[in-house]
Amino acid sequence: MAPNWFIALPVPASPWFDHRFDPPSPAFRRCHPQDLHLTVAFLGAVTETQARAAFDRPLAWDQGAIAVGLGPIVPLGNPHRYSALSILLTLGHDRACSLLHQNQPHLLGTAGVPLDPRPPKPHITVMRPQRHASHQDRQIGLTWAEGWDLSLTDPLLLRDIALYTWTDDRQTHLFEIVDRRPL
């Protein structure tokens, strides 16, 4: 399996991420609560040395933790065959964008990864369609996503930044935190 590294803000799953997030059909995989995160810099298939060098770089951020409010669940990825159902932020969106904008160039540059030219879009992925998901399955996913109002959820406090990679046993969850520090 190819390496996969990223730097992200771990998202607390409790109490909002509960049984209501069961997959809308067998064609979907619910993200494990330990895998919930807001990506700051996707490093991809770099070496562990490159990933750690990027993570060890001091952040251009002195504002501490970010309180985020949960907004709509939307499809992300290819508009004709989305790869994720993700929550957009309401409260904290601008602060999260600022954190990403100020730090992505330095983190990616340190790891030797080209900068993504697209503007930052802070989100929390909660569900992924299986590769074999049909158009009809994906429509079921979109209908499921439209039925949510997460605005009543108390704001979540994102306190830490972490370095993630694949977990050794991907049967329960996909990622593991390799290193972590306060934001």
Side-chain angles (χ1 to χ4, degrees), residues 17 26 53-55 66 69-70 72 80 91 95 97-98 100 122 126 146 154 156 162 164-166 168-169 181:
F17 193 70
F55 182 73
I66 300 175
L70 304 179
H80 303 291
L91 172 71
R95 288 188 71 212
C97 281
S98 180
L100 273 60
V126 293
E146 290 170 0
D154 289 335
L156 306 174
Y164 287 80
T165 192
W166 292 124
D168 290 334
D169 177 14
R181 67 176 185 262

Side-chain angles (χ1 to χ4, degrees), residues 37-56:
H37 64 274
L38 189 153
T39 302
V40 175
F42 180 73
L43 307 176
V46 299
T47 67
E48 182 173 352
T49 301
Q50 290 170 294
R52 285 186 179 277
F55 182 73
D56 290 342

Side-chain angles (χ1 to χ4, degrees), residues 59-106:
L59 288 180
W61 185 258
D62 61 1
Q63 299 180 40
I66 300 175
V68 298
L70 304 179
I73 299 176
V74 299
L76 292 181
N78 181 327
H80 303 291
R81 192 168 168 79
Y82 64 87
S83 59
L85 293 172
S86 302
I87 299 171
L88 298 182
L89 306 182
T90 54
L91 172 71
H93 176 268
D94 291 344
R95 288 188 71 212
C97 281
S98 180
L99 172 72
L100 273 60
H101 181 73
Q102 290 175 35
N103 289 283
Q104 277 182 351
H106 307 295

Side-chain angles (χ1 to χ4, degrees), residues 150-161:
L150 297 171
S151 64
L152 301 178
T153 304
D154 289 335
L156 306 174
L157 194 57
L158 308 184
R159 303 172 187 265
D160 297 329
I161 189 160

